[in-house]
DNA sequence: TGCCTTCCTGCAAGTTTTCGCATTAAGGAT
DNA sequence: ATCCTTAATGCGAAAACTTGCAGGAAGGCA
């Protein structure tokens, strides 16, 4: 598993949720599935870890993880994709044509967010923005 | 209907799609359902206009409209919402707490997009961005 | 450790969304 | 106006996702 499991499980517990073997397996599966993984990829990894784990539990676990911020959910062409949350929020540029993704420099987005915050009196609270466009090689 | 129907139907046709009575009804329903309408709201309006219109046709029509840019799709708390596309792209700030939405000043977002374009050699192609945060009165 | 409360899980049923296929109709051409 | 080609629709079935409920396990407390 690529995450510091202890830390994530403690956070789960601190948020008032029980740390079950099923939730641990789903969290491991999210990590194993790599970034921006669609649900079927996660289900596949889960059933490898524990074939008896019910699909409805996977959906419910993901909802809990997103709720608590352990996992971030984003949209990729109208489909939900999941990835383990890093300590830092991060944002992407995504090519409509080839699907490739670039992680944005944090300074760029935070200055934009600060501008929005001051202009609109909004506290921006975005941990995974995906902006669509067309990359250099696809233009 | 709130859209200039003629124009939209011509665009559909120009994109190589057939202009059917069902698609006209779905487009009218999207307008009638107002902005950021979830699918069930659209289905409700559709069945008022034509009770015999099958739900699968509604899903397929929406996919065509999003594909051709006549309708924009956005995510509202993990749910797909639809709205008729204006001639100009527009973006929002959305409060996580009360759900209220603000339409962003176009200059603000376009300067951000231009900066991204020059830094990353990406042609930004975003017609409906929704940025989450917490509004002044909810902070 | 063992008990107790409450949350979580699996299962089955319900709901939503997608898909394949036969029939229908749009729209270009004559 | 009629014909022809092919895309679009409705329908039924499948797949994806959600929900209610009864049994089982987490974790707090003694
Ligand atoms: Mn990411
Ligand atoms: Mn909008
Ligand atoms: Zn590309
Ligand atoms: Zn608010």
């Amino acid at each position: 598993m690529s995450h510091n499991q202890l830390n994530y499980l403690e956070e789960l517990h601190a948020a008032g949720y029980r740390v079950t073997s099923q939730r641990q397996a789903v969290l491991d599966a999210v990590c194993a599935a790599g970034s921006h993984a669609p649900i079927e990829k996660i289900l596949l990894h889960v059933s490898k870890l524990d074939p008896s784990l019910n699909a409805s539990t996977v959906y419910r676990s993901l909802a809990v993880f997103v709720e608590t911020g352990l996992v971030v959910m984003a949209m990729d062409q109208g489909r939900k994709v999941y990835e383990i949350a890093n300590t830092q929020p991060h944002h992407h540029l995504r090519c409509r044509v080839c699907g490739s993704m670039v992680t944005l420099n944090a300074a760029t987005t935070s200055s934009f967010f600060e501008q929005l915050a001051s202009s609109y009196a909004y506290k921006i609270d975005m941990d995974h923005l995906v902006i669509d466009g067309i990359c250099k090689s696809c233009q």
Side-chain angles (χ1 to χ4, degrees), chain A residues 74-95:
Chain A
M75 299 312 297
D76 188 6
Q77 297 174 291
R79 311 197 47 206
K80 291 177 186 171
V81 291
Y82 301 89
E83 83 181 63
I84 193 79
N86 302 332
T87 44
Q88 300 292 338
H90 70 279
H91 310 286
H92 300 279
L93 240 42
R94 183 185 160 283
C95 178

Side-chain angles (χ1 to χ4, degrees), chain A residues 21-31 42 46 49 53 57-58 61-62 65:
Chain A
S21 62
Q22 289 91 338
R23 284 178 179 160
Q24 294 178 56
V26 174
L27 204 53
D28 287 348
V30 170
C31 293
I42 292 169
V46 164
L49 293 170
L53 209 166
T57 300
V58 178
S61 297
L62 286 173
F65 298 154

Side-chain angles (χ1 to χ4, degrees), chain A residues 12-79:
Chain A
L12 237 199
H13 186 251
Y17 291 102
R18 294 186 181 173
V19 177
T20 66
S21 62
Q22 289 91 338
R23 284 178 179 160
Q24 294 178 56
V26 174
L27 204 53
D28 287 348
V30 170
C31 293
S35 50
H36 309 117
I39 185 68
E40 67 264 24
K41 204 168 179 184
I42 292 169
L43 285 167
L44 205 74
H45 280 275
V46 164
S47 65
K48 242 177 271 180
L49 293 170
D50 177 1
S52 71
L53 209 166
N54 196 273
S56 63
T57 300
V58 178
Y59 286 104
R60 286 189 279 224
S61 297
L62 286 173
V64 166
F65 298 154
V66 170
E67 166 77 30
T68 54
L70 271 53
V71 166
V72 295
M73 192 201 75
M75 299 312 297
D76 188 6
Q77 297 174 291
R79 311 197 47 206

